[in-house]
Amino acid sequence: MKFKAIKLYENGFMTQPFAFGGEEGPGAFDPKVRYRSSLQNFLIDTGKEVILVDTGMPLEAPDAVPDENTVIYMGSRVKDYVSALADAGYKPEQVSKILVTHKHDDHTGELRSFPNAKIYISPEDADALGLKGENIVRATYSDGPYYNFPASQIVADGVRLIEAKGHTKGNSIVIAENDGLFLMFHGDITYTDEALYANKLSVVYEDASAARKTLDTVREFISNHPTVYLSTHTPLGYENLESLKVVDLLSPPESIPVGEIVYKTATGKYICGICGYVYDPALGDPDRGVAPGTAFEDLPDDWRCPRCKQDKTKFNKA
């Protein structure tokens, strides 16, 4: 098997309260501590078929514009998903399966671009996205336990989709076995690897107890199997893949400082840093009683992202 990172955004950051504060609360952590952030998804070439794990942000999504209140910034767009896929040497028509870890836009944004692909996704997240059609495979996780994971589904030789609820109600992870290693494509079980080593949940989950159970199960698996941990929102994701670095939970990596951030001019729109939903003042949010022409600053304090239900503090200027 061959594995490739599809690199989409670079030179971003996230704060420690965001990445670590899911249980103790953000106030227990230092907002001055920042970790590198990026956005990449992954490709598995089995030799018989091309399988994608998630499909990035939508082509039309604007870039975020960070400021002093930003808790997560994916960085500047490097390429749109299909162009980045081409850089990796593949065409959309070659893709036979897409394994969706969860419903957020930065993981599902270009599902529409793959005419020949079966899309494997949990029933909960398929329903949340309104996905229907013959190409939608609602995961059953009916192939029994996978080591200490209670439920899994075989999608190809050596590749499993594994139930891992918490971050979303239908969250999944993907594990591929190759040459004695276990490659874990985990979506957002953690946002940065530092949180994996520190055993901390991020502030983003739909079910806190399920998220804790999943992280515990992931850490137990990693403790007992040589695992390459492949993250979506930190450059460690593709760096770990390039070096096939095996996780040692007793030896956390030294954090690399955040680089120079490129700041851009805001458009008046706002983008959710969690799921990629764009609030456009010209459109408002009529389904929730927000009239067209309502500035983001004038939204009610209890307004939530229509897609992932996070509050206004998780939005960045776009």
Side-chain angles (χ1 to χ4, degrees):
M1 273 190 272
K2 295 189 294 186
F3 306 93
K4 295 192 177 185
I6 310 301
K7 299 178 183 179
L8 305 169
Y9 287 72
E10 63 182 6
N11 297 327
F13 66 86
M14 68 186 79
T15 65
Q16 190 181 67
F18 170 85
F20 282 28
E23 292 174 307
E24 295 95 327
F29 300 96
D30 186 351
K32 295 179 181 179
V33 175
R34 302 197 300 182
Y35 304 109
R36 295 183 298 157
S37 186
S38 58
L39 178 66
Q40 60 278 332
N41 298 138
F42 297 93
L43 177 149
I44 303 170
D45 184 340
T46 69
K48 296 180 180 179
E49 58 182 332
V50 177
I51 301 172
L52 304 181
V53 181
D54 296 333
T55 61
M57 289 288 284
L59 174 64
E60 65 274 14
D63 279 4
V65 178
D67 60 24
E68 65 277 3
N69 298 314
T70 299
V71 296
I72 182 169
Y73 168 55
M74 290 188 296
S76 301
R77 190 192 289 262
V78 179
K79 290 281 181 71
D80 65 90
Y81 190 93
V82 173
S83 296
L85 185 69
D87 286 350
Y90 296 89
K91 299 178 181 178
E93 294 78 13
Q94 294 176 266
V95 176
S96 58
K97 293 173 183 172
I98 301 172
L99 312 181
V100 177
T101 62
H102 62 285
K103 64 188 176 182
H104 294 158
D105 270 12
D106 50 344
H107 298 259
T108 61
E110 287 298 325
L111 291 177
R112 60 194 175 186
S113 295
F114 300 93
N116 301 325
K118 295 287 188 180
I119 298 170
Y120 289 70
I121 185 171
S122 70
E124 297 92 338
D125 282 6
D127 289 344
L129 292 174
L131 295 179
K132 298 179 181 179
E134 294 183 357
N135 68 319
I136 304 302
V137 180
R138 296 165 68 89
T140 60
Y141 310 104
S142 56
D143 289 317
Y146 180 71
Y147 296 97
N148 63 317
F149 290 100
S152 70
Q153 182 168 346
I154 298 170
V155 295
D157 289 343
V159 181
R160 291 200 187 220
L161 186 68
I162 295 170
E163 190 174 53
K165 296 183 178 184
H167 181 65
T168 67
K169 292 179 180 178
N171 204 77
S172 305
I173 63 175
V174 177
I175 295 181
E177 297 183 35
N178 190 60
D179 291 338
L181 295 178
F182 297 82
L183 289 92
M184 181 181 288
F185 308 85
H186 67 82
D188 298 343
I189 300 301
T190 60
Y191 274 82
T192 186
D193 291 19
E194 286 89 347
L196 171 73
Y197 286 87
N199 196 16
K200 301 295 183 184
L201 291 177
S202 80
V203 298
V204 185
Y205 47 70
E206 292 184 346
D207 185 326
S209 62
R212 167 42 62 190
K213 183 177 181 180
T214 290
L215 182 55
D216 288 345
T217 305
V218 164
R219 283 171 52 85
E220 180 184 351
F221 181 90
I222 287 170
S223 295
N224 292 305
H225 303 87
T227 303
V228 182
Y229 192 68
L230 300 173
S231 299
T232 300
H233 287 289
T234 169
L236 286 164
Y238 58 78
E239 292 168 2
N240 289 345
L241 179 59
E242 290 166 359
S243 64
L244 292 179
K245 178 179 174 58
V246 171
V247 174
D248 178 356
L249 291 176
L250 299 179
S251 300
E254 184 176 351
S255 294
I256 297 173
V258 172
E260 182 179 357
I261 304 302
V262 177
Y263 292 92
K264 300 181 179 181
T265 302
T267 63
K269 300 177 183 179
Y270 279 72
I271 185 168
C272 179
I274 307 308
C275 74
Y277 170 83
V278 177
Y279 177 77
D280 185 344
L283 302 177
D285 184 11
D287 291 344
R288 290 156 192 81
V290 177
T294 302
F296 184 83
E297 295 82 358
D298 295 330
L299 290 171
D301 290 341
D302 60 356
W303 184 85
R304 296 290 185 270
C305 174
R307 183 166 296 128
C308 70
K309 312 306 179 187
Q310 296 295 310
D311 63 35
K312 292 167 59 178
T313 65
K314 306 304 189 302
F315 277 73
N316 301 319
K317 295 177 182 179

